[in-house]
Amino acid sequence: MSYDSVRERWLSDPEAFWAKAAGGIDWIQPFSRVLDAEAPSGRWFTGGVLNTCHNALDRHADSGAADRMALVYDSAMTGQVRRFTYAELRDRVAELAGAMQAAGLKRGDRALIYMPMIPESVMAMLACARIGVIHSVVFGGFAARELATRISQARPKLILTASCGLEPNRVVAYKPLLDDALTQTDHSPELVVLLQRPELHAELKPAGEVDWADFLRDAKPAGCVPVKATDPLYILYTSGTTGQPKGIVRDNGGHAVALHWSMKALYGISAGDVFWAASDIGWVVGHSYIVYGPLLAGATSILYEGKPVGTPDAGAFWRVISQHGVNALFAAPTAIRAIRRDDPTLEQASRYDLGTLRALFVAGERCDPDTLHWSGKVLGVPVIDHWWQTETGWAVAGNLLGEGLFPVRAGSAGKALPGWDVRVVDDSGAEVAAGKTGAIVCRLPLPPGALPTLWQADQRFRETYLSDFVGCYTTGDAGYMDADGYLYVMTRTDDVINVAGHRLSTGALEEVLAMHPDVAECAVTGIADELKGQVPLGFLCLKSGIDRAEEEVVSECVALIREHIGPVAAFRKALVVDRLPKTRSGKVLRRVLARIADGVEYAFPATIDDPAILGEIESSLLSAGIRAE
Ligand code: COA
Ligand code: AMP
């Protein structure tokens, strides 16, 4: 097969295409309809009943693959490697699920998982799936306020956490962050279960908090609970334009079918292969391709706790590949740039045998051609950029390793994959010519695995994603498509920025800066960064009469973001200015601010209130050394 023939097969009969793909999944009760096109963005496999955990674990464990490795945990932080076969992982998950059932959790309840990159976190997600509990995983690099927002919105009955995460320069104590978050919410979980890691002991309250080991004591293994294809498997919050994150809902049926299909077709991974997504379970990449995708395919998944550099050196990724026989690696371009910065001549790579590797997949941010070429040279395998979002759950554009690759074009995220009708449109929704930049949209219905709605916010879902262009899903990205169908994803159209492959809302950062007592008004924008792609830059207008050193206020603001949003925001720079550029209707011109800070040309906004401000901002940036001449 080839990309063209697979795409043609999908185009000629999308429902037949996905019905065939659904054959890769065990159904307890077959679906009655492939597609319910009346649902706002399409609903897949209605009437079907299945269990995602059964498909990820039991069906392999019970059919000859019991002794195959399911999960290999490799911690560059502790030097530990732990391996779990399909049978072992299933048994551990069933036990945890049994303890959860004994604690009163049942289908449709929510459990929040605030945990580091350890096997128990994967077990927690799968245990939820096993009994129909909806998990909401919160990334460990988020601080109390972000955690609190997610607790308030998902209203979990149970919170699963650990005593700490391990970062190269420190042990991150989770319990104080969780305690702080719980003081900021109007919701209290019935139970907190905490896994004590040897690196840090956390104190537990006598009521409502229990040690993980005690929780499991006397637990009876739980079987797989049948759930509807359209029942939610998980909620994953992601940054939007405002400070209120969006609760992306993923359902069970479409998700299982799409991920299972993608493992072979897109990543070229079959049962018994080894797949490594070097991400975090707190992000969608971790959900889809550390946990569910590889296990649905019967492959071995690598769970890596560490960094691309500094744990201990820039050879860390190559060590993991050679030690565990990785067949395909998925990483963020930032990680590759970090390795290149530390090991430009590839001394580290030459120490390892990378013979098992067939391809490197990159996503999470735009991959600059230089990084793509360099990594291809290092690894001697195809480097495949592919583009997707938390919302889409799997790649919208890419290449099909499993079907035979078409030639890669550097700077492009490949071509629209089967399932996705991608168009580039102007403000009126009309398609633009090849090579012309516009908003990237997907014609409805969306394929299996994409979000069907936002958690308890159907209206917000429709307004945010389906109302800009009739019959289309708005991706929030802009770019162009060339005459051969290669897509180039260049920038966001909203106030979301991408820092080291992590998606952040400038609105959320602004809300925190506005909490500073001396700040009258503020704006945050993303500016170009060689390593992280983008980093946030704050603009602060101080209240009149404030007579303090500007650096003091700036460093307090930096600390405030770290405390409330988390270190992962990488917020280090802010500039005190007299006023902000705004439109006559009062909207801050963030995009213009970003372009001035990056020293690139910008269109002079016709609607600007007072054009002189732009010159003022430019000279402040120059004198603060944030922008070079
Ligand atoms: N828990 C707690 N803190 C975390 C964390 C976590 N899970 N993850 C990151 N942080 C902290 C880091 O310790 C760091 O804190 P510091 O300011 O005290 O140093 C801060 O958040 C920024 O972290 P990071 O983004 O990792 O930047 P870095 O400068 O430490 O490292 C890279 C640079 C390039 C090595 C790193 O950004 C990286 O590995 N990027 C790839 C990211 C990725 O895989 N994204 C995939 C998304 S699909
Ligand atoms: P997230 O939802 O955190 O996965 O972030 C999704 C966003 O990251 C997308 O909307 C894009 O802006 C950006 N992104 C992800 N992958 C790519 C890619 N391959 N090329 C360009 N941008 C990307």
Side-chain angles (χ1 to χ4, degrees):
M1 294 284 261
S2 64
Y3 166 84
D4 286 337
S5 57
V6 180
R7 175 95 182 159
E8 189 42 49
R9 189 161 67 74
W10 168 70
L11 271 172
S12 65
D13 192 345
E15 290 192 37
F17 181 93
W18 289 117
K20 181 161 185 270
I25 291 302
D26 283 359
W27 297 89
I28 297 166
Q29 182 181 302
F31 41 90
S32 46
R33 281 175 88 177
V34 181
L35 170 67
D36 168 7
E38 284 92 61
S41 59
R43 236 30 236 273
W44 293 88
F45 310 119
T46 46
V49 174
L50 77 163
N51 181 280
T52 296
C53 181
H54 163 84
N55 277 283
L57 298 178
D58 299 62
R59 65 168 173 162
H60 310 301
D62 293 339
S63 61
D67 297 332
R68 185 189 300 155
M69 277 319 144
L71 187 70
V72 175
Y73 163 64
D74 182 308
S75 174
M77 309 307 299
T78 64
Q80 210 187 8
V81 173
R82 287 164 69 195
R83 295 184 170 82
F84 300 86
T85 63
Y86 269 95
E88 285 164 349
L89 191 59
R90 189 264 310 270
D91 292 349
R92 298 285 297 268
V93 167
E95 190 188 29
L96 180 57
M100 286 167 60
Q101 273 181 337
L105 273 99
K106 50 184 193 320
R107 182 175 153 203
D109 288 340
R110 271 86 56 214
L112 187 136
I113 300 173
Y114 183 53
M115 294 186 68
M117 288 285 284
I118 54 176
E120 287 77 3
S121 312
V122 175
M123 291 169 194
M125 292 166 74
L126 291 162
C128 290
R130 193 169 188 85
I131 55 171
V133 166
I134 303 163
H135 61 69
S136 174
V137 180
V138 180
F139 175 61
F142 281 133
R145 186 172 183 266
E146 292 294 304
L147 181 56
T149 313
R150 286 154 174 80
I151 295 171
S152 299
Q153 291 198 14
R155 310 191 89 70
K157 220 176 200 179
L158 171 71
I159 294 184
L160 294 141
T161 188
S163 56
C164 65
L166 303 176
E167 284 297 296
N169 51 3
R170 67 192 190 287
V171 171
V172 183
Y174 281 14
K175 187 66 184 3
L177 291 168
L178 177 59
D179 288 344
D180 187 2
L182 288 171
T183 64
Q184 298 180 38
T185 67
D186 59 350
H187 173 81
S188 298
E190 285 174 15
L191 189 64
V192 172
V193 178
L194 183 141
L195 183 103
Q196 300 283 5
R197 297 189 77 182
E199 293 76 13
L200 184 77
H201 184 86
E203 289 305 321
L204 296 179
K205 298 191 184 97
E209 297 185 354
V210 49
D211 187 288
W212 193 285
D214 294 333
F215 186 61
L216 288 183
R217 199 157 292 133
D218 307 324
K220 309 254 177 324
C224 293
V225 170
V227 300
K228 288 188 201 151
T230 49
D231 278 348
L233 169 67
Y234 69 75
I235 313 166
L236 179 57
Y237 285 89
T238 189
S239 305
T241 299
T242 67
Q244 283 300 308
K246 296 180 288 194
I248 306 300
V249 172
R250 193 85 56 215
D251 64 12
N252 276 273
H255 173 256
V257 171
L259 290 197
H260 180 264
W261 178 84
S262 73
M263 286 311 297
K264 180 77 184 83
L266 170 57
Y267 299 107
I269 293 291
S270 305
D273 284 340
V274 181
F275 190 74
W276 177 23
S279 180
D280 189 287
I281 53 145
W283 306 118
V284 69
V285 176
H287 281 61
S288 293
Y289 294 112
I290 296 175
V291 182
Y292 291 108
L295 298 178
L296 287 165
T300 302
S301 181
I302 306 290
L303 179 73
Y304 173 69
E305 184 181 38
K307 303 278 170 177
V309 293
T311 57
D313 54 37
F317 273 24
W318 320 136
R319 175 193 61 79
V320 172
I321 291 170
S322 73
Q323 189 168 337
H324 305 300
V326 171
N327 298 122
L329 167 65
F330 180 153
T334 302
I336 307 296
R337 287 195 294 270
I339 295 171
R340 182 182 183 180
R341 185 191 57 183
D342 282 16
D343 185 20
T345 56
L346 308 174
E347 267 172 49
Q348 297 291 348
S350 60
R351 289 171 46 206
Y352 299 98
D353 177 1
L354 305 181
T356 53
L357 195 70
R358 296 181 209 136
L360 165 66
F361 291 85
V362 286
E365 59 184 309
R366 185 177 139 75
C367 185
D368 52 290
D370 205 24
T371 301
L372 188 109
H373 290 311
W374 184 83
S375 44
K377 203 171 77 191
V378 184
L379 298 168
V381 295
V383 181
I384 299 160
D385 188 3
H386 61 323
W387 164 67
W388 50 300
Q389 317 178 300
T390 307
E391 289 85 344
T392 66
W394 61 286
V396 181
N399 208 322
L400 293 180
L401 182 64
E403 303 288 348
L405 290 179
F406 54 79
V408 165
R409 287 188 187 164
S412 160
K415 300 186 190 184
L417 294 180
W420 301 97
D421 186 352
V422 179
R423 309 286 171 112
V424 181
V425 300
D426 64 18
D427 290 347
S428 72
E431 256 184 87
V432 299
K436 288 263 177 293
T437 298
I440 305 176
V441 301
C442 301
R443 294 275 291 269
L444 300 175
L446 297 179
L451 81 170
T453 190
L454 293 175
W455 178 248
Q456 294 182 334
D458 293 338
Q459 180 64 16
R460 188 179 178 198
F461 167 66
R462 283 192 294 270
E463 279 166 11
T464 311
Y465 298 107
L466 307 182
S467 63
D468 291 348
F469 304 103
V470 179
C472 292
Y473 161 80
T474 301
T475 67
D477 283 317
Y480 63 95
M481 199 182 276
D482 71 15
D484 301 316
Y486 284 81
L487 187 68
Y488 294 75
V489 182
M490 306 306 286
T491 184
R492 292 286 304 186
T493 56
D494 54 13
D495 295 322
V496 166
I497 59 172
N498 193 313
V499 178
H502 308 315
R503 180 165 154 182
L504 294 171
S505 155
T506 53
L509 298 170
E510 287 168 5
E511 277 180 21
V512 173
L513 293 178
M515 288 159 60
H516 190 286
D518 297 345
V519 171
E521 216 185 356
C522 62
V524 174
T525 167
I527 58 167
D529 181 79
E530 250 185 34
L531 177 67
K532 298 193 176 189
Q534 276 188 310
V535 286
L537 171 67
F539 292 86
L540 311 171
C541 298
L542 303 190
K543 290 182 180 154
S544 61
I546 299 293
D547 185 22
R548 297 181 57 200
E550 288 179 0
E551 310 80 67
E552 251 180 61
V553 179
V554 167
S555 68
E556 285 164 10
C557 284
V558 167
L560 211 54
I561 296 277
R562 198 176 167 87
E563 184 194 334
H564 290 277
I565 304 277
V568 74
F571 185 86
R572 298 222 163 83
K573 289 182 196 162
L575 184 72
V576 175
V577 293
D578 290 336
R579 48 204 185 130
L580 293 169
K582 291 185 185 168
T583 61
R584 277 179 220 110
S585 60
K587 197 172 177 313
V588 176
L589 292 157
R590 289 185 189 79
R591 216 163 293 271
V592 175
L593 280 173
R595 293 186 81 83
I596 299 177
D598 285 341
V600 294
E601 262 183 49
Y602 56 89
F604 204 84
T607 53
I608 190 165
D609 184 26
D610 179 359
I613 301 182
L614 301 183
E616 288 169 21
I617 300 264
E618 193 165 349
S619 25
S620 304
L621 285 162
L622 288 168
S623 52
I626 292 174
R627 192 189 122 178
E629 274 297 347

